[in-house]
Amino acid sequence: MTHGRRLRLNAFLKPPGEFLAAWRHPGAVPDAGVNIRHLIELARTAERACFDALFFADLVGVPFADQEVLRRVSVVNDSFEPTTLLAALATATSRIGLIATASTTYNEPYHLARTFASLDHLSRGRAGWNLVTSLNDAEARNFGLPEHVGHAERYRRAAEFHQVVTGLWDSFDDDAFRRDQASGIYFDDDRVHRLDHRGRYFSVTGPLNIPRPPQGHPVVVQAGSSEAGKSLAAAAADVVFTHHPDGAAARAFYAEIKARAAAAGRNPEHVLVLPALSTIVGRTLAEAEDKAERLYALLDPRVALADLAYWLGGVDLSTHPLDGPLPQLPVSNQSRSAQRLIVERARARNLTIRELARGLARDERTIVGTPETVADHIQEWFETQAADGFNVIFPYLPETLDDFADLVIPQLRRRGLFRASYEGRTLRENLGLPRPASRYARDRRGA
Ligand SMILES: Cc1cc2nc3c(=O)[nH]c(=O)nc-3n(C[C@H](O)[C@H](O)[C@H](O)COP(=O)(O)O)c2cc1C
């Protein structure tokens, strides 16, 4: 094990659960996505377990066009906007990090710089931004565009967007605000900086109208694994969320991200790679399998098929026989890495469309097993440099979070792998990430 390397765990909360039929589970809170009392309970459970952070995904539209599908799913229709939600959760928690997804394709950088700076102040240094480029045409149509912006274009815009946001966060030096009632001087004018950014996509004068965030820069997460996604991660991300079918693929990705970060002049230890891990845990294997079977039986086949078509890039599968193989597909303009994962799985196992749709519910990321099996997996991936930790996905809530907290976390602690209390106050401190200096600090030292 590398000296000082610690296991990181992020709780990917998608109430009532990642599984599309989770809201039908007998233990579910059916309105979980908009039930603040329930969301606070989930956040507190994750904080008691000492997860590094909570994370909420987001879309700026409703992806399924077919009403027969749409009316059977909860998450895409029925959840809070994540930064608003995290502002509320910031007041109900004290140590856990708070990561929200926000799109660089359908926002302006000034807005997001301000939102995440506010969240960082509200939470006293616990904010994180999952920087995404958005996924689908339904989102584009809410922003005056007939279809989603092209993949390469989205990532070019994202890179410039990130530069503008981090530049705006540095608008005021950390010690700029004197608020001196006696002299009448509110801030030192040599401690404020105008960005004056003029680029291909953005023209932003600045400064930002809020003090520098407690973390300097809120933690930046990146979750695309295409070529362009990896370049952006190496240049800009503190944390990378990713998906891999097996340990070998995860190790290759891990090594690549660390090498790319080093090539970009960064310390590779400061870019944390967190693959997805979804678990259904029982005290025995039979109990876990029983829980899984009961859950999977709740999924309507129409929803399963629509979900498969969506993750393949929004393709139409209806003209292809369900008991035949996947057709040749155009390259996805949504998530290239998601499409590749599914196509590779279909090929490797010779799966029909029907089998594949069913299998999405129970793919390689979901471990159905005992706390020991889950801890073994975590330990192996962590110790063989496949992961710095995991983005833990909960198929249905609250039970799979409770099980992880009550059964898996104690296993990890017994093995000396995971903390029993938070080391720091801010998300950066808990993740072992340094607080970035302001881009203007060097100028001042030189002056
Ligand atoms: C764990 C995880 C969570 C993600 N959450 C979101 C999300 O909430 N909203 C979104 O628009 N994209 C989300 N994505 C998609 C990616 O951010 C990325 O935009 C997408 O995978 C396309 O990039 P790629 O072609 O580089 O893979 C997520 C991806 C992963 C792996």
Side-chain angles (χ1 to χ4, degrees):
M1 209 193 300
T2 311
H3 177 70
R5 207 165 153 256
R6 284 168 188 261
L7 183 75
R8 316 292 170 192
L9 293 178
N10 177 66
F12 182 171
L13 294 183
K14 198 185 269 186
E18 169 70 19
F19 189 67
L20 277 179
W23 66 274
R24 300 181 64 199
H25 189 271
V29 175
D31 68 346
V34 291
N35 182 330
I36 188 62
R37 281 171 201 269
H38 174 63
L39 291 161
I40 288 173
E41 279 307 305
L42 296 178
R44 289 187 171 153
T45 303
E47 188 167 63
R48 266 198 305 277
C50 295
F51 274 90
D52 289 273
L54 301 173
F55 159 60
F56 287 89
D58 196 40
L59 296 176
V60 283
V62 168
F64 302 116
D66 180 349
Q67 288 301 316
E68 283 305 316
V69 172
L70 196 54
R71 71 198 191 95
R72 289 182 161 79
V73 295
S74 60
V75 260
V76 295
N77 291 321
D78 193 23
S79 45
F80 288 130
E81 187 285 312
T83 57
T84 318
L85 170 60
L86 289 182
L89 296 183
T91 65
T93 54
S94 59
R95 303 303 276 276
I96 196 162
L98 306 164
I99 304 174
T101 296
S103 169
T104 54
T105 306
Y106 303 118
N107 276 297
E108 286 288 321
Y110 198 94
H111 280 138
L112 284 200
R114 190 174 180 217
T115 300
F116 282 93
S118 298
L119 187 59
D120 208 41
H121 282 287
L122 278 166
S123 63
R124 297 176 191 270
R126 294 185 286 135
W129 169 31
N130 177 36
L131 181 170
V132 301
T133 63
S134 289
L135 285 164
N136 60 62
D137 292 349
E139 297 178 279
R141 291 190 199 112
N142 294 329
F143 297 89
L145 296 176
E147 59 187 31
H148 195 20
V149 178
H151 195 268
E153 176 85 356
R154 293 200 313 261
Y155 271 109
R156 277 196 297 272
R157 179 180 159 106
E160 189 180 327
F161 196 114
H162 172 262
Q163 280 179 3
V164 175
V165 167
T166 49
L168 286 170
W169 283 334
D170 289 343
S171 291
F172 288 96
D173 293 342
D174 291 314
D175 55 357
F177 286 89
R178 281 166 50 187
R179 301 183 181 107
D180 184 354
Q181 291 178 316
S183 67
I185 299 298
Y186 203 81
F187 64 84
D188 290 324
D189 59 358
D190 62 342
R191 300 273 194 272
V192 59
H193 311 276
R194 264 188 14 197
L195 186 64
D196 277 330
H197 175 88
R198 301 283 173 266
R200 175 166 174 174
Y201 299 96
F202 306 108
S203 184
V204 179
T205 303
L208 195 63
N209 50 1
I210 184 164
R212 193 159 191 263
Q215 297 184 98
H217 298 170
V219 169
V220 174
V221 181
Q222 204 291 127
S225 296
S226 62
E227 267 309 299
K230 286 186 283 197
S231 301
L232 182 63
D238 299 303
V239 176
V240 182
F241 290 160
T242 179
H243 286 296
H244 297 291
D246 54 49
R251 274 186 289 281
F253 180 86
Y254 183 98
E256 186 183 352
I257 290 290
K258 301 281 175 172
R260 283 185 186 229
R266 303 180 62 204
N267 180 342
E269 287 178 17
H270 298 158
V271 184
L272 303 174
V273 178
L274 307 190
L277 169 66
S278 165
T279 61
I280 297 180
V281 180
R283 284 176 176 77
T284 62
L285 180 60
E287 187 189 300
E289 286 187 333
D290 183 54
K291 287 183 180 184
E293 287 315 315
R294 284 169 198 264
L295 179 70
Y296 299 147
L298 301 173
L299 186 64
D300 186 293
R302 283 165 289 195
V303 176
L305 196 62
D307 196 41
L308 172 64
Y310 176 74
W311 285 110
L312 285 170
V315 296
D316 181 8
L317 293 174
S318 65
T319 54
H320 301 277
L322 284 182
D323 293 311
L326 269 187
Q328 276 295 330
L329 299 171
V331 175
S332 170
N333 188 40
Q334 295 190 178
S335 172
R336 296 212 171 142
S337 39
Q339 184 192 50
R340 203 188 53 234
L341 267 180
I342 299 169
V343 170
E344 282 173 4
R345 181 161 68 238
R347 282 213 197 102
R349 303 195 186 172
N350 220 359
L351 298 175
T352 65
I353 293 177
R354 194 193 304 274
E355 289 164 338
L356 205 53
R358 212 183 299 131
L360 258 195
R362 187 175 179 167
D363 62 22
E364 297 84 349
R365 287 178 298 135
T366 303
I367 299 182
V368 178
T370 61
E372 291 77 16
T373 348
V374 174
D376 287 348
H377 173 88
I378 290 175
Q379 183 161 10
E380 194 210 321
W381 280 40
F382 179 63
E383 290 181 350
T384 62
Q385 318 270 329
D388 291 312
F390 291 86
N391 184 24
V392 185
I393 296 178
F394 304 102
Y396 61 100
L397 288 162
E399 190 173 283
T400 53
L401 170 62
D402 291 340
D403 286 346
F404 200 94
D406 296 341
L407 303 174
V408 179
I409 296 270
Q411 268 291 329
L412 297 174
R413 286 186 181 143
R414 243 171 266 138
R415 299 178 189 203
L417 281 169
F418 196 59
R419 65 164 72 88
S421 62
Y422 288 99
E423 300 85 18
R425 286 254 156 219
T426 70
L427 177 56
R428 280 186 181 278
E429 285 167 5
N430 286 318
L431 290 174
L433 298 172
R435 183 177 190 275
S438 161
R439 65 179 58 193
Y440 304 103
R442 205 172 12 142
D443 304 347
R444 272 180 56 200
R445 273 201 306 275

